[in-house]
Amino acid sequence: MTEAKPIQAPVEHKGRRGFLPIETNTFDRVFISVVIWIGASLLWMRFIEPLGLSVWICTVLCIILGVWIVKKG
Amino acid sequence: MRSNRLGWTLLTPSLVVLGIVGFLPFLFVVWVGFHDWNIFAATRGMIWTGANNYRRLVFDQEFLDALWRTLAYTVTVVVIELSLGFLLAQTLTRQFPGRAFFRTIYVLPLVVAPIAVGATWRLMVIPGFGPIPYFLERWFGIEYRIGTYASHAWATAVLMDVWHWTPFVTLTLLAGLTAIPKEPLEQAMVDGANRWQVFRHLTIPMMMPVILTVVFIRMMDALRVVDEVYMLTNGGPGTATTFIGLHIFRVVFPKTDYGYGSAMSLLVLYFTIVLCWLLFVALSNVGKQKA
Amino acid sequence: MKTARWKKALGWIGLYALWIFLTLFTVLPIYWMFVVSSRSRVQLFDAPTLLIRSFYVQNYTGPLSDPVFQRYLWNSLYTAVGNALLVTILALFATYALSRWRLPGADNIFFWTITNRMAPPAAFLLPIFLLYTQVFKIGDWSLFDTQLGLILLYCVFNLPFAIWLMKGIMDGIPIELDEAASVDGAGQWTILWRVIVPLAAPGLAITFILSLIFAWNEYLFAATLTSVNARTITTGLAEFVTVTGTNWGQMAAVATISILPALVFLIFVQRYIVTGLTFGAVKE
Amino acid sequence: MLRHRLIVTLSILVFAAMMLAACPAPAPVAPAAPAPAEGEASWWRTAAESAGCVGVTIRGVSESTPPSNFAKDVLGPAFERDSGIKVELETTSWDQMYDKAIKDMEAGTGIYDFVYIEQDIIYAYLANNYLLNMTKFLADNPNLAAPDFDFGKFTTFIDYFKDAEGNVYGVPMEAFIKIYLYRTDLFGDPEAQAAFKEKYGYDLAPATNYQQYRDNAEFFTQWGKDRGLELWGTTVQAASGHPSSFYEVFETILPSGGVYNWGINMENWKASVENGGTMNSDRAKAAFQFWLDLLPFAPPEATSSTWDEVAASFAAGRAAQGWVYGENAAWIATDPERSKVVGNVGVALPPLADESVLQDAEEGRGYIGYYDGGAFGIPATSKNQACAVLWNQYIGQESVQADWAVAASRVVMNSTFDDPKVQEVDAKTNGYFTLLKEQGHLFAGAPPFPFHATIREVIAPYVYRAIAGELTAAEALDQAAAAVDAELPKLGYGQ
């Protein structure tokens, strides 16, 4: 370690700005999708499943939404 | 640009330790959460039930009540601690004789173990034993019974938490107050703004990151409170102080309903993470605006 | 002029009144604990009074002369200091890395470390118990009922806190200092030890002391993951609650004793507390 | 900066050194243990050698109670001296003890070689095959069967630790009944007797039925108030967030009102009346209501009182009468260090709703109160079963029983009652041991439910809410019965 190396300050975010109101990186968007998926499933089980619609419908919808968020968010 | 390898090397030990004691158990809990597993059931062992535990949970009034109760409790203590802490931190920024003494005395509650906090407060408030009900009754004629009246138990739990954690909040806010630049404040005073205006339009915005940090930390801990309340009231009277941590404790331990309890904790963890994440995003955005 | 002076005097009176009230409020429960520890079992049921008329020393001499209790105290100390040291060092490394390198996903890692503190503890007892008794074992030795087990475990809630605290401190140390040292030919380790550590000392001290306090005070995990050899003083407290009468006097005495060590540490780092607790939240 | 770091480091070192100096290496201190006869000692040693147990450490977990502490402090060291087997007994709080024992046995870890089994949890343990069959083990290994150990010498309490075939799974180490304690000084006070007679029209006496109990409670509460005394009419174990209040209602009050087995019909595992149970029957409601109505006559701490605080309240002279666990009777009546009512304690059978309950109990159809206690059992997962079996036989010798009974007021063997030391304590407590011996058969332990703790947790919140005044007795029992009927099928019972 005799040679001096330039040191750079960390960059705050390497993310990008999509339609979400904050800067996000891929992991953030996956995280957001999962959070939405879990929340939606719970609400679905409470309010919609008793009406006869399977929770799998919710899962499919959430996966589509998730893909969209990860790609464009 | 220097190589990231050293950076990862420095980070790895922490990640390994947290992985072992944090993430592995988490995976196990996720796994158990999809099973029926009660060792006192007629059918033994773990039985896969898919999402049935969660299906039960969203209709479980006892659980939802406990969750709301915990949220209400958290909001109450955070608001009280924050306002009180701000007031005290403000007074501590001034030099006055005896400041060091007060400050030293004031951090005492921080070092008391939660379980001892609960025990001590229990000793303080049990009728026939503790001084608080005795003097309240003797001097003011107030009948103070934490075992009978839900509101008394609730108030005691809040008071206990305020007692235990306001010092931490105060110190953190004080650290923030001493670190913010003084010039804008003085300038504004010179320009004729009154104290309230300065506080409202300069101090608060500058302190926002600290405030959010404190809220974050207190919220995270208040949502999982167990030890203190366990010693103080054990969740009574009725279910008045059965906060979610205690509720889960009861389901997992005396009822030994491991599967359902696991699902329950995951749900609570989910809510906590979402709440904290929102705060975290707010926090880093506030930080960025300033940068 | 006179009214202004009056106003000022009133302000001072208000200030002192506030602080005196607060001091009383803060001290009362701890004082009461001490009062209880001064009474014998039969005296406890006299009408409550805040005065200490006689001192029942057996509440203190009893536990203090008990070798089992001494071992609890020693275990607590060993575990808390061990954990605080480990956490401080790990957090120093981790935050140095998070603060000085562009690691992909660093923010996410940072947030993930914090989530470890959020889990409601009860349901995680079982998996950790299983890990400690059945996975991490070599022959007859397992992590269960060892101080090492507790030291590692307390990282779950101490390390996130420490990383958060230290991250702020690290970010607050100007990177130009690193660069200057680097230009002078210092290696990474030299920079860390000679530049960063001295500047981060208040933060390190406060991290150490808070970790120590949390670890010293932890109850639920210690109660589940220890049996005879590694039991800590907080689990000892629960032993005084029995079917045939809680020995409140001795319990209060033990609680009083258990406050002392953390208090001693806290007094030593008093001067650092305010500078150390910024969490990096204020950036100029 | 360097100076600061130095100070911190130094302070840590100094403090650590202080602590080290204060805590010399923990050395086990062996308290005086009863000296065994020569021949016995050699038998234990020989047996331990033949089982390869000499030098082995066996571990146990128990609640931190006087009987367990006696086993830990006196019997453990004595056993080690006689046999060369070291006993490490961990004593901890009641709920921790269960948590750890169950986790250990369920996970099959084998940490513990013997565990405390309370009478009510044994059925759950048996259903899960957690325990070693001691009868079978001793039959298979006759060389390890101590010559003077015999399951037949125990009181009938040992029956609770047997399976359907009569195999024994635990050696009883404590047993007691929940009795009615009253203050002889108050009940014998001529002034009080006269005032009572005037007000209620009959003689003041320890209660035998609910009405009399209530009158006594009301009378002494008023008596205390009139004289400015810290005195109330009764203790009530009504902690509004702790299982102890559930136990008082379901194992003391409901049986004395003629409702047995928690009101659960054990034929079809149903609790509510419409499904054939008795949990919300009129008798149960009446008994529960009677108990709730006592709260105004109880000291203010009653709604925060668990079993230990009830005993403490009584010992502090704050109550004229009450239901108290018998293990406390001896110290309340004899220990001036802890009790203000030494010499003024009377013991009697608990009051009953009516005569039919006593008749039920005498004819074996029911019981009038709670017979509790525990045994040391050996987990099937223990790695040192032979050594633990030796230990269990050691604590089951007749020769160690008397001192144990005196230290912890528990009796598990018939011969113990006749020991002069025990009779001395019996006289001081106005006959607690005699009551246990002669009337013990009227009491019973918890019903044989394999789901004990789970159902307790289902019912308990309704009891808590009734204490807090949110529900009446009738509402609480109706809802509790419905909740039990919903929960049991989930556990696989009564589908």
Side-chain angles (χ1 to χ4, degrees):
Chain A
M1 282 282 202
T2 46
E3 191 183 340
K5 289 176 185 169
I7 294 178
Q8 290 165 345
V11 179
E12 284 275 325
H13 255 287
K14 300 154 297 294
R16 62 152 202 260
R17 196 77 183 236
F19 65 86
L20 291 171
I22 48 164
E23 246 176 60
T24 52
N25 62 21
T26 313
F27 187 86
D28 290 332
R29 289 190 293 276
V30 172
F31 174 77
I32 292 169
S33 311
V34 171
V35 164
I36 292 176
W37 171 55
I38 296 174
S41 305
L42 290 171
L43 288 173
W44 192 283
M45 284 195 274
R46 170 81 205 234
F47 296 108
I48 302 182
E49 207 178 35
L51 307 176
L53 288 168
S54 161
V55 77
W56 290 110
I57 299 171
C58 168
T59 308
V60 171
L61 290 178
C62 283
I63 288 173
I64 295 167
L65 181 71
V67 169
W68 183 55
I69 289 178
V70 171
K71 285 204 158 157
K72 303 268 177 170
Chain B
M1 179 167 168
R2 54 188 173 174
S3 81
N4 276 350
R5 196 191 289 162
L6 184 60
W8 284 118
T9 317
L10 286 170
L11 202 49
T12 311
S14 297
L15 297 184
V16 168
V17 169
L18 283 179
I20 289 173
V21 290
F23 195 61
L24 279 183
F26 169 75
L27 287 181
F28 182 86
V29 171
V30 172
W31 174 244
V32 175
F34 287 109
H35 290 79
D36 257 346
W37 188 18
N38 186 337
I39 58 169
F40 291 148
T43 44
R44 299 219 53 214
M46 287 163 76
I47 303 155
W48 177 265
T49 58
N52 277 350
N53 282 330
Y54 297 92
R55 227 164 246 140
R56 240 173 95 194
L57 265 180
V58 292
F59 289 102
D60 184 343
Q61 204 52 44
E62 235 182 300
F63 165 75
L64 296 173
D65 285 348
L67 201 59
W68 281 117
R69 201 175 296 126
T70 313
L71 274 179
Y73 170 79
T74 306
V75 169
T76 316
V77 298
V78 169
V79 167
I80 296 179
E81 282 163 18
L82 202 60
S83 2
L84 194 61
F86 224 112
L87 177 72
L88 297 175
Q90 282 279 6
T91 71
L92 279 177
T93 52
R94 291 206 249 164
Q95 275 292 348
F96 61 91
R99 186 177 79 142
F101 169 77
F102 287 132
R103 208 173 70 185
T104 312
I105 293 287
Y106 188 55
V107 292
L108 272 175
L110 261 182
V111 301
V112 187
I115 188 164
V117 170
T120 309
W121 277 84
R122 187 177 167 82
L123 287 175
M124 296 257 298
V125 297
I126 287 194
F129 193 103
I132 290 184
Y134 181 78
F135 290 118
L136 277 181
E137 195 150 351
R138 175 150 293 199
W139 294 341
F140 305 104
I142 299 170
E143 203 181 67
Y144 187 78
R145 306 267 183 276
I146 60 156
T148 310
Y149 304 121
S151 56
H152 294 183
W154 172 273
T156 312
V158 169
L159 198 64
M160 179 174 73
D161 201 80
V162 168
W163 178 81
H164 197 186
W165 288 110
T166 312
F168 175 76
V169 174
T170 312
L171 289 177
T172 314
L173 291 174
L174 179 62
L177 281 177
T178 40
I180 58 174
K182 300 286 171 302
E183 297 79 26
L185 304 181
E186 282 156 12
Q187 188 56 45
M189 291 291 260
V190 171
D191 291 349
N194 66 27
R195 273 203 188 159
W196 170 249
Q197 285 169 327
V198 171
F199 179 72
R200 171 74 189 75
H201 295 290
L202 287 171
T203 313
I204 294 267
M206 280 195 286
M207 285 289 286
M208 213 27 141
V210 190
I211 295 174
L212 285 177
T213 308
V214 168
V215 170
F216 190 118
I217 291 172
R218 281 306 303 134
M219 197 170 78
M220 182 160 81
D221 287 353
L223 282 172
R224 35 169 258 168
V225 63
V226 180
D227 295 4
E228 294 101 318
V229 184
Y230 172 72
M231 279 307 268
L232 183 72
T233 60
N234 206 340
T239 49
T241 51
T242 309
F243 299 124
I244 195 70
L246 198 56
H247 184 67
I248 294 175
F249 181 74
R250 287 207 183 141
V251 171
V252 176
F253 162 55
K255 271 178 110 169
T256 61
D257 205 341
Y258 294 135
Y260 195 49
S262 297
M264 209 180 261
S265 3
L266 284 176
L267 212 52
V268 174
L269 184 60
Y270 168 79
F271 285 125
T272 317
I273 288 181
V274 170
L275 270 178
C276 287
W277 183 76
L278 290 174
L279 259 181
F280 188 72
V281 168
L283 186 64
S284 45
N285 276 6
V286 170
K288 221 176 304 166
Q289 276 163 15
K290 290 188 57 69
Chain C
M1 269 292 95
K2 216 168 184 181
T3 49
R5 212 139 101 218
W6 271 113
K7 236 176 158 178
K8 206 168 180 191
L10 267 178
W12 282 112
I13 293 171
L15 182 72
Y16 275 101
L18 175 74
W19 274 101
I20 288 168
F21 169 76
L22 217 74
T23 309
L24 290 179
F25 174 66
T26 307
V27 169
L28 182 67
I30 296 174
Y31 176 70
W32 180 249
M33 190 160 87
F34 183 67
V35 170
V36 169
S37 78
S38 75
R39 297 192 181 160
S40 70
R41 295 178 82 146
V42 73
Q43 282 171 337
L44 279 177
F45 284 92
D46 297 341
T49 163
L50 293 175
L51 302 176
I52 299 178
R53 293 215 182 79
S54 62
F55 205 91
Y56 190 74
V57 217
Q58 283 90 325
N59 281 337
Y60 285 88
T61 52
L64 277 178
S65 60
D66 181 358
V68 175
F69 174 83
Q70 290 168 3
R71 195 169 57 198
Y72 289 176
L73 213 56
W74 169 238
N75 284 338
S76 267
L77 189 77
Y78 189 92
T79 312
V81 172
N83 175 260
L85 276 177
L86 180 68
V87 162
T88 312
I89 291 170
L90 286 182
L92 175 70
F93 287 163
T95 52
Y96 186 57
L98 286 172
S99 168
R100 295 295 194 261
W101 274 272
R102 283 184 188 190
L103 303 175
D107 274 12
N108 307 108
I109 292 174
F110 180 58
F111 186 70
W112 173 74
T113 57
I114 298 172
T115 59
N116 279 292
R117 197 188 165 90
M118 298 176 189
F124 288 78
L125 287 172
L126 183 70
I128 291 174
F129 176 83
L130 291 176
L131 270 182
Y132 273 33
T133 49
Q134 305 198 329
V135 180
F136 296 115
K137 59 183 279 193
I138 303 160
D140 272 349
W141 181 89
S142 70
L143 270 181
F144 178 80
D145 200 18
T146 58
Q147 287 112 340
L148 181 66
L150 288 183
I151 289 176
L152 280 179
L153 183 74
Y154 291 163
C155 288
V156 179
F157 52 84
N158 273 341
L159 197 52
F161 191 82
I163 287 180
W164 191 343
L165 198 59
M166 289 300 300
K167 174 79 161 36
I169 307 277
M170 282 294 174
D171 287 348
I173 298 173
I175 199 154
E176 292 78 18
L177 293 177
D178 294 33
E179 282 164 4
S182 183
V183 169
D184 290 347
Q188 285 304 338
W189 291 105
T190 323
I191 295 177
L192 184 60
W193 291 120
R194 288 289 148 83
V195 180
I196 304 291
V197 169
L199 284 176
L204 288 173
I206 198 75
T207 306
F208 181 84
I209 182 69
L210 285 177
S211 307
L212 184 107
I213 290 173
F214 287 140
W216 179 277
N217 288 343
E218 205 282 331
Y219 167 71
L220 206 53
F221 285 109
T224 308
L225 296 176
T226 62
S227 162
V228 178
N229 299 318
R231 282 176 86 78
T232 60
I233 194 82
T234 41
T235 61
L237 281 178
E239 282 177 28
F240 292 108
V241 184
T242 72
V243 175
T244 50
T246 300
N247 199 339
W248 288 113
Q250 276 197 6
M251 187 174 178
V254 171
T256 310
I257 296 170
S258 78
I259 291 180
L260 292 177
L263 193 63
V264 170
F265 278 105
L266 196 65
I267 288 170
F268 275 117
V269 296
Q270 261 291 342
R271 61 198 317 163
Y272 291 129
I273 289 181
V274 170
T275 36
L277 269 177
T278 57
F279 292 96
V282 180
K283 286 169 194 155
E284 50 276 64
Chain D
M1 275 306 154
L2 192 72
R3 205 170 57 91
H4 291 174
R5 265 194 300 156
L6 207 68
I7 291 174
V8 172
T9 324
L10 264 182
S11 60
I12 293 167
L13 284 178
V14 167
F15 186 71
M18 253 160 53
M19 295 298 290
L20 265 176
C23 319
V29 177
E38 258 321 296
E40 276 177 83
S42 59
W43 185 87
W44 294 110
R45 182 79 190 187
T46 323
E49 271 163 10
S50 73
C53 284
V54 177
V56 167
T57 301
I58 58 171
R59 261 193 185 181
V61 63
S62 185
E63 193 192 352
S64 155
T65 56
S68 301
N69 287 331
F70 186 86
K72 176 167 104 173
D73 298 335
V74 179
L75 297 175
F79 180 61
E80 185 180 355
R81 198 186 50 214
D82 289 352
S83 68
I85 302 170
K86 188 167 161 38
V87 179
E88 263 183 10
L89 177 54
E90 170 191 350
T91 55
T92 181
S93 65
W94 179 72
D95 36 9
Q96 277 298 328
M97 177 262 301
Y98 274 126
D99 190 24
K100 301 178 86 164
I102 291 173
K103 278 200 177 86
D104 177 45
M105 294 187 290
E106 176 66 15
T109 338
I111 298 168
Y112 297 117
D113 301 307
F114 63 101
V115 295
Y116 176 88
I117 322 165
E118 197 163 343
Q119 175 274 328
D120 47 22
I121 201 83
I122 176 88
Y123 310 102
Y125 288 3
L126 288 182
N128 283 331
N129 298 319
Y130 281 167
L131 299 174
L132 176 79
N133 182 340
M134 273 192 72
T135 309
K136 185 165 175 293
F137 187 93
L138 288 176
D140 293 347
N141 302 279
N143 59 326
L144 294 183
D148 63 343
F149 180 82
D150 181 4
F151 290 124
K153 289 178 183 169
F154 288 88
T155 58
T156 51
F157 188 66
I158 199 173
D159 295 343
Y160 288 117
F161 301 97
K162 290 177 181 167
D163 63 9
E165 286 84 49
N167 296 308
V168 179
Y169 289 82
V171 173
M173 45 77 71
E174 64 175 24
F176 45 86
I177 49 181
K178 192 160 183 183
I179 37 155
Y180 172 61
L181 287 192
Y182 62 94
R183 291 270 300 278
T184 50
D185 54 336
L186 292 172
F187 278 82
D189 183 352
E191 204 186 326
Q193 283 172 341
F196 186 90
K197 175 101 182 193
E198 192 184 330
K199 188 167 179 194
Y200 297 98
Y202 62 98
D203 285 329
L204 173 65
T208 54
N209 61 44
Y210 284 0
Q211 184 59 40
Q212 197 181 1
Y213 192 95
R214 205 207 77 91
D215 290 347
N216 287 348
E218 186 185 52
F219 175 75
F220 279 113
T221 306
Q222 192 59 41
W223 177 266
K225 205 181 270 174
D226 292 345
R227 281 159 185 70
L229 300 173
E230 293 280 307
L231 175 72
W232 285 265
T234 175
T235 62
V236 180
Q237 181 178 304
S240 54
H242 190 276
S244 53
S245 55
F246 162 84
Y247 282 124
E248 172 133 319
V249 175
F250 277 78
E251 292 184 334
T252 304
I253 304 300
L254 292 194
S256 70
V259 177
Y260 314 114
N261 299 328
W262 300 5
I264 294 175
N265 185 337
M266 294 177 58
E267 309 276 307
N268 62 358
W269 301 114
K270 293 290 178 200
S272 60
V273 172
E274 60 266 32
N275 292 326
T278 50
M279 189 182 287
N280 56 345
S281 63
D282 292 340
R283 294 200 68 136
K285 287 173 181 171
F288 190 24
Q289 191 63 51
F290 153 72
W291 182 79
L292 286 176
D293 289 343
L294 291 176
L295 282 173
F297 308 130
E301 68 267 29
T303 48
S304 305
S305 290
T306 65
W307 23 61
D308 57 317
E309 282 132 346
V310 161
S313 288
F314 194 89
R318 294 169 66 82
Q321 53 176 356
W323 292 272
V324 179
Y325 282 95
E327 59 195 323
N328 296 300
W331 72 259
I332 293 178
T334 58
D335 184 357
E337 282 277 292
R338 299 172 64 185
S339 166
K340 290 184 173 176
V341 294
V342 172
N344 296 324
V345 180
V347 180
L349 292 180
L352 306 172
D354 53 52
E355 283 301 308
S356 70
V357 179
L358 191 62
Q359 212 173 342
D360 275 1
E362 269 162 359
E363 287 161 19
R365 285 194 302 274
Y367 48 95
I368 63 169
Y370 189 37
Y371 200 144
D372 190 24
F376 282 150
I378 300 167
T381 49
S382 158
K383 296 177 191 106
N384 303 307
Q385 288 178 344
C387 319
V389 166
L390 287 177
W391 159 250
N392 259 2
Q393 293 181 89
Y394 192 85
I395 62 161
Q397 299 176 92
E398 284 181 312
S399 57
V400 303
Q401 298 296 324
D403 286 326
W404 206 354
V406 171
S409 56
R410 34 64 75 201
V411 171
V412 295
M413 289 179 121
N414 290 316
S415 62
T416 317
F417 289 116
D418 303 327
D419 190 283
K421 289 184 215 161
V422 175
Q423 284 179 341
E424 196 182 321
V425 178
D426 188 48
K428 282 190 197 153
T429 55
N430 283 321
Y432 169 65
F433 286 127
T434 311
L435 191 79
L436 179 64
K437 184 183 178 188
E438 283 164 12
Q439 315 282 356
H441 66 279
L442 298 176
F443 293 76
F449 297 150
F451 43 73
H452 181 97
T454 308
I455 292 303
R456 180 193 78 211
E457 288 301 309
V458 171
I459 303 173
Y462 300 101
V463 176
Y464 304 157
R465 291 175 63 192
I467 294 167
E470 292 171 30
L471 300 173
T472 65
E475 286 164 357
L477 289 178
D478 283 339
Q479 293 178 21
V484 170
D485 283 355
E487 183 77 17
L488 278 174
K490 278 187 217 153
L491 294 174
Y493 297 95
Q495 269 145 334

